[in-house]
């Protein structure tokens, strides 16, 4: 059994130092991080068809630096196919996928700037976890000294098991080793396809915290997930897909609050009701329990909070009455009806 | 490229399967040699058995006899295993996509994998010959060989025969080993191609071995005429004339050419296909 501890804090904010005129495949990819303004990911009119079957159709989105961008959709929505095209594993039928401004082709150099886990983490089973990490890194022609192996091992937190053959690992251990591998070389972008599959609740929480922490340090994240709670907790932006097509996108707040309502508690409910009722974008304000349910059309939670605080009220609670799950199902239902 | 070859070589050589194959290739010639020694002279028969009969005169002929036996099936299966598993093995583990997301060039990866498979095929052929040499010398000694007249192995003596010195035998064994190993070049190309077509190593290995076995069957049908000349196995036994007829057959040169042709044509098809393929594993 492996030792279970909290994942060690990891992260990197600094630009990787140059190692010479030719920094090599593993070394060059931090240079543009602070200065470039091109989207980290830009998908434009992407379509991927397998014969008569359309996996993705006319999909466009961009992921800006520092965002945690979630692809959300039911099984068969085209999320994994989109990520595969983005990583150069599959060629698009139409449209383009760009990484750091460069159109992705198989084995594109830009892919070296990405740490990816597409579907489950997979390894050479008869080799140890450590040898898998080393061979994978060295296959790209880079030296281990450029890999920041210590950080990766802290992520894996596999203890002595790192020197055991991977075929003896549990699914969760493989997934942890997968995270260690994708963090080798300090990638600028993480592409995570259902990243918490196979993990226990404690590990899931650690992974979410790690994603949030890395995002805070400037790493961009693009993830697909079935776990709506996961997306709601870690993503700043969400794109909802269904049957390969775009359904909706925006910040989590925008998706939740686009047609929803907000629950508010303050130290003076009646005065708060007066303040909120006078705001543009607020449709209705009704008492509920200790607080108020505010039906909004265009107003954001932050605007409601600012108005209440500005009026001298102490804001105790403000939260959407609708969760992402409700919004997701509403969006899918709306999309189905429209099609 | 060197790093890629090194990583692929590490993956291939650290498999239990590779060790088992090595033990088999050492054990089988030893077992055959012991059996020949124990049961005395073998009956007359086709070349393979004839080589073993001659090998009773000198252990230096045992490698040729063992190559003759193993190259007909065992080495084919082993070579097909190394070649067919090269890409499909990684695909079956799910590791292929991670290699490509490192990223490494698909064509370079294919070349590295084929190169490592080729090295292992050569190593297998050399190992079986070396094991035969050691077992043969230990059991039968390292004497010169007196080969009776040409064609006598089946039909009886037709001439005065010839003698092969220990030096001749060693040199020709080295040439034969190289020729047999190079004779798997077409198989290597076919196996690598099949390995890119499927995510199932067993399927790729089976298809590769199957093509060679079918090729051997077709080669036995003389009515096929010149078509047989481009079969990958047609010139596979051309090296035996060095030991049985005291001459280097021109077919050996032609055989090498056919192998190179397969490597170029099938190898190019494999590279083009793999470069364009959607990786779904």
């Amino acid at each position: 059994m492996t030792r279970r501890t909290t994942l060690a804090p990891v992260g990197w904010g600094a630009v990787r130092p140059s190692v010479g005129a030719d920094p090599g495949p593993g070394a060059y990819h931090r240079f543009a991080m602070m200065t470039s303004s091109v989207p980290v990911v830009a998908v434009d009119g992407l379509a991927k068809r397998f014969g008569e079957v359309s996996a993705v159709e006319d999909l466009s989105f961009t992921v800006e630096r520092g965002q945690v961008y979630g692809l959300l959709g039911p099984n068969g929505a085209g999320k994994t196919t989109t990520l595969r095209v983005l990583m150069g594993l599959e060629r698009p039928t139409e449209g383009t996928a760009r990484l750091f401004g460069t159109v992705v082709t198989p084995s594109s150099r830009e892919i070296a700037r990405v740490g990816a886990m597409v579907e489950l983490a997979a390894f050479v089973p008869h080799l140890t976890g450590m040898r898998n990490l080393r061979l994978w890194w060295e296959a790209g022609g880079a030296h281990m000294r450029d890999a920041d192996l210590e950080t990766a091992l802290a992520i894996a937190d596999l203890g002595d098991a790192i020197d055991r053959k991977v075929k003896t690992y549990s699914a969760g251990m493989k997934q942890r080793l997968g995270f260690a591998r994708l963090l080798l070389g300090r990638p600028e972008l993480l592409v995570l396809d259902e990243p918490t599959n196979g993990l226990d609740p404690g590990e899931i929480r650690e992974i979410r915290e790690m994603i949030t922490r890395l995002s805070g340090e400037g790493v961009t994240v693009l993830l697909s997930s079935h776990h709506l709670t996961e997306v709601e907790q870690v993503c700043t932006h969400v794109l909802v897909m269904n049957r390969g097509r775009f359904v909706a996108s925006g910040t989590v707040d925008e998706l939740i609050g686009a047609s929803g309502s907000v629950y508010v508690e303050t130290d003076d409910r009646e005065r708060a009701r007066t303040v909120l009722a006078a705001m543009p974008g607020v449709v209705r304000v009704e008492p509920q329990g200790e607080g108020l349910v505010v039906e909004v059309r265009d107003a954001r939670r932050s605007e409601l909070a600012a108005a209440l605080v500005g009026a001298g009220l102490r804001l105790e609670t403000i939260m959407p009455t609708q969760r992402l799950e409700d919004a997701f199902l509403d969006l899918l239902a709306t999309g189905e009806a429209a099609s | 490229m060197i790093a890629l070859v090194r990583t692929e070589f590490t993956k291939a050589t650290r498999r239990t399967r590779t060790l088992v194959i090595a033990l088999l290739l050492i054990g089988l010639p030893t077992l055959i040699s012991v059996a020949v020694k124990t049961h005395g002279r073998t009956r007359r028969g086709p070349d393979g058995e004839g080589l073993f009969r001659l090998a009773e005169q000198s252990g230096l002929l045992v490698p040729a006899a063992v190559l003759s036996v193993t190259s007909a099936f065992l080495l084919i299966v082993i070579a097909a295993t190394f070649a067919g598993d090269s890409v499909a093995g990684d695909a079956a583990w799910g590791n292929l996509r991670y290699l490509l997301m490192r990223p490494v060039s698909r064509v370079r990866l294919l070349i590295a994998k084929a190169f490592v498979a080729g090295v292992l095929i050569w190593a297998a052929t050399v190992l079986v010959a070396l094991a035969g040499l050691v077992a043969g010398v230990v059991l039968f000694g390292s004497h010169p060989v007196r080969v009776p007249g040409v064609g006598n192995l089946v039909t009886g003596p037709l001439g005065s025969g010839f003698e092969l010195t220990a030096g001749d035998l060693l040199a020709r064994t080295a040439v034969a080993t190289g020729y047999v190993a190079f004779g798997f070049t077409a198989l290597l190309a076919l196996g690598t191609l099949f390995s890119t077509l499927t995510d199932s190593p067993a399927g790729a290995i089976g298809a590769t071995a199957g093509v060679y076995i079918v090729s051997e069957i077709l080669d036995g049908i003389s009515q096929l005429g010149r078509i047989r000349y481009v079969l990958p196995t047609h010139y596979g036994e051309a090296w035996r004339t060095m030991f049985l007829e005291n001459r280097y057959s021109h077919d050996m040169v032609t055989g090498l050419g056919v192998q190179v042709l397969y490597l170029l044509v099938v190898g190019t098809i494999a590279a083009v296909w793999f470069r364009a393929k959607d990786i779904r594993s």
Side-chain angles (χ1 to χ4, degrees):
Chain A
M1 290 297 290
T2 59
R3 183 169 49 92
R4 288 280 296 109
T5 60
T6 303
L7 289 172
V10 295
W12 43 84
V15 174
R16 172 185 287 258
S18 171
V19 292
D22 178 10
Y28 65 89
H29 53 263
R30 300 289 296 171
F31 298 157
M33 183 173 171
M34 301 301 181
T35 56
S36 176
S37 61
V38 296
V40 176
V41 175
V43 171
D44 183 23
L46 183 71
K48 180 64 184 176
R49 303 183 197 104
F50 302 98
E52 298 295 310
V53 179
S54 174
V56 178
E57 204 64 51
D58 194 25
L59 182 69
S60 300
F61 66 94
T62 58
V63 181
E64 303 293 341
R65 201 169 294 278
Q67 287 183 346
V68 181
Y69 200 99
L71 293 182
L72 198 55
N75 285 333
K79 306 184 298 294
T80 299
T81 300
T82 303
L83 298 184
R84 283 178 170 276
V85 170
L86 192 63
M87 294 308 298
L89 296 175
E90 297 179 11
R91 293 174 188 272
T93 309
E94 289 173 16
T96 58
R98 292 174 188 270
L99 283 172
F100 307 100
T102 302
V103 174
V104 175
T105 55
S107 313
S108 283
R109 196 167 164 80
E110 304 302 321
I111 295 171
R113 301 165 71 176
V114 184
M117 192 188 299
V118 176
E119 296 181 285
L120 293 176
F123 299 91
V124 181
H126 59 272
L127 299 179
T128 66
M130 178 67 87
R131 192 171 290 278
N132 264 284
L133 293 180
R134 286 182 176 277
L135 287 185
W136 182 82
W137 181 255
E138 289 172 352
H143 292 287
M144 281 311 297
R145 64 173 176 268
D146 298 326
D148 194 12
L149 182 64
E150 293 73 22
T151 303
L153 293 179
I155 293 292
D157 192 27
L158 289 167
D160 295 340
I162 194 74
D163 292 318
R164 274 183 15 214
K165 290 181 178 178
V166 168
K167 64 184 174 188
T168 66
Y169 283 17
S170 67
M173 291 165 75
K174 285 182 189 171
Q175 202 73 345
R176 295 171 75 85
L177 189 63
F179 269 95
R181 177 171 57 189
L182 70 86
L183 290 172
L184 287 177
R186 303 182 169 190
E188 291 173 59
L189 168 67
L190 300 184
V191 172
L192 308 171
D193 186 17
E194 307 284 354
T196 54
N197 272 358
L199 301 182
D200 63 37
E203 291 169 328
I204 290 172
R205 184 172 181 176
E206 289 170 10
I207 294 301
R208 286 178 188 163
E209 288 172 357
M210 183 194 74
I211 292 171
T212 304
R213 190 165 59 239
L214 290 172
S215 168
E217 294 168 3
V219 178
T220 309
V221 181
L222 171 61
L223 70 86
S224 77
S225 180
H226 288 106
H227 300 294
L228 295 159
T229 312
E230 183 170 277
V231 171
E232 190 170 3
Q233 287 180 0
V234 304
C235 291
T236 56
H237 294 73
V238 179
L239 183 147
V240 180
M241 298 176 67
N242 191 25
R243 296 183 181 179
R245 291 181 179 276
F246 171 92
V247 174
S249 70
T251 64
V252 173
D253 278 353
E254 284 170 348
L255 288 184
I256 291 174
S259 58
S261 56
V262 178
Y263 178 76
V264 175
E265 274 186 26
T266 64
D267 56 344
D268 186 339
R269 190 173 77 172
E270 288 311 311
R271 206 151 69 80
R273 184 177 186 178
T274 305
V275 170
L276 292 171
M279 284 186 65
V282 173
V283 177
R284 191 170 54 181
V285 183
E286 295 290 340
Q288 185 181 86
E290 299 291 313
L292 299 164
V293 172
V294 186
E295 207 172 302
V296 295
R297 184 170 296 144
D298 299 317
R300 295 184 175 187
R301 271 188 289 163
S302 57
E303 293 168 347
L304 301 184
L308 292 168
V309 172
L313 293 162
R314 192 176 75 222
L315 185 60
E316 292 173 350
T317 301
I318 181 163
M319 56 185 283
T321 57
Q322 176 173 254
R323 309 302 300 174
L324 184 59
E325 183 175 348
D326 304 314
F328 174 69
L329 294 173
D330 286 349
L331 287 165
L332 288 190
T334 305
E336 295 280 352
S339 64
Chain B
M1 188 67 182
I2 292 172
L4 202 50
V5 168
R6 193 170 58 236
T7 59
E8 289 301 319
F9 194 74
T10 303
K11 280 158 56 178
T13 53
R14 286 181 177 264
R15 295 189 75 168
T16 306
R17 184 183 72 187
T18 308
L19 179 65
V20 170
I21 287 173
L23 291 175
L24 181 67
L25 292 172
I26 293 170
L28 191 65
T30 307
L31 187 67
I32 291 172
S33 300
V34 169
V36 171
K37 179 76 175 177
T38 305
H39 294 287
R41 295 172 71 89
T42 55
R43 64 181 173 83
R44 288 185 174 187
D47 291 349
E49 293 181 11
L51 282 170
F52 267 110
R53 189 171 62 81
L54 290 171
E56 291 176 46
Q57 295 182 43
S58 172
L60 296 175
L61 253 178
V62 170
V66 168
L67 280 174
S68 178
V69 171
T70 55
S71 64
F73 183 72
L74 180 64
L75 281 177
I76 289 176
V77 172
I78 289 170
T81 300
F82 289 137
D85 189 66
S86 55
V87 178
D90 261 320
W93 293 325
N95 193 52
L96 180 61
R97 63 178 181 271
Y98 286 99
L99 264 178
L100 296 177
M101 291 191 297
R102 173 61 185 92
V104 296
S105 154
R106 293 189 182 192
V107 173
R108 289 173 69 178
L109 179 64
L110 194 68
I111 291 171
K113 283 181 173 292
F115 178 79
V116 169
V119 167
L120 292 174
I121 291 169
W122 271 77
T125 311
V126 169
L127 188 60
V128 80
L130 273 179
L133 182 66
V134 171
V137 169
V138 168
L139 292 172
F140 301 108
S142 54
H143 319 290
V145 171
R146 179 72 194 172
V147 182
V150 174
N152 71 331
L153 294 171
V154 176
T155 61
L158 296 176
S160 59
F162 56 90
E163 184 172 294
L164 295 172
T165 65
D168 291 335
L169 289 168
L170 282 174
R172 293 179 189 199
T173 296
V175 173
T177 304
Y179 183 80
V180 169
F182 197 86
F184 291 119
T185 304
L187 182 148
L188 172 66
L190 287 164
T192 306
L193 172 63
F194 293 146
S195 197
T196 65
L197 296 175
T198 175
D199 295 339
S200 162
I205 293 166
T208 309
V211 165
Y212 252 58
I213 289 167
V214 168
S215 172
E216 285 184 341
I217 292 169
L218 293 177
D219 196 36
I221 304 172
S222 57
Q223 288 85 345
L224 288 174
R226 293 184 175 178
I227 291 174
R228 296 185 305 150
Y229 299 163
V230 293
L231 292 173
T233 55
H234 182 71
Y235 300 99
E237 297 179 354
W239 61 273
R240 289 183 184 179
T241 59
M242 290 189 297
F243 296 96
L244 299 174
E245 299 175 21
N246 198 25
R247 67 183 177 89
Y248 289 87
S249 168
H250 186 265
D251 281 356
M252 288 176 69
V253 178
T254 311
L256 296 179
V258 169
Q259 297 297 319
V260 171
L261 188 68
Y262 270 94
L263 178 65
L264 293 176
V265 174
V266 180
T268 302
I269 293 170
V272 169
W273 165 255
F274 188 56
R275 193 167 177 270
K277 182 185 180 185
D278 281 343
I279 304 299
R280 303 288 296 166
S281 60

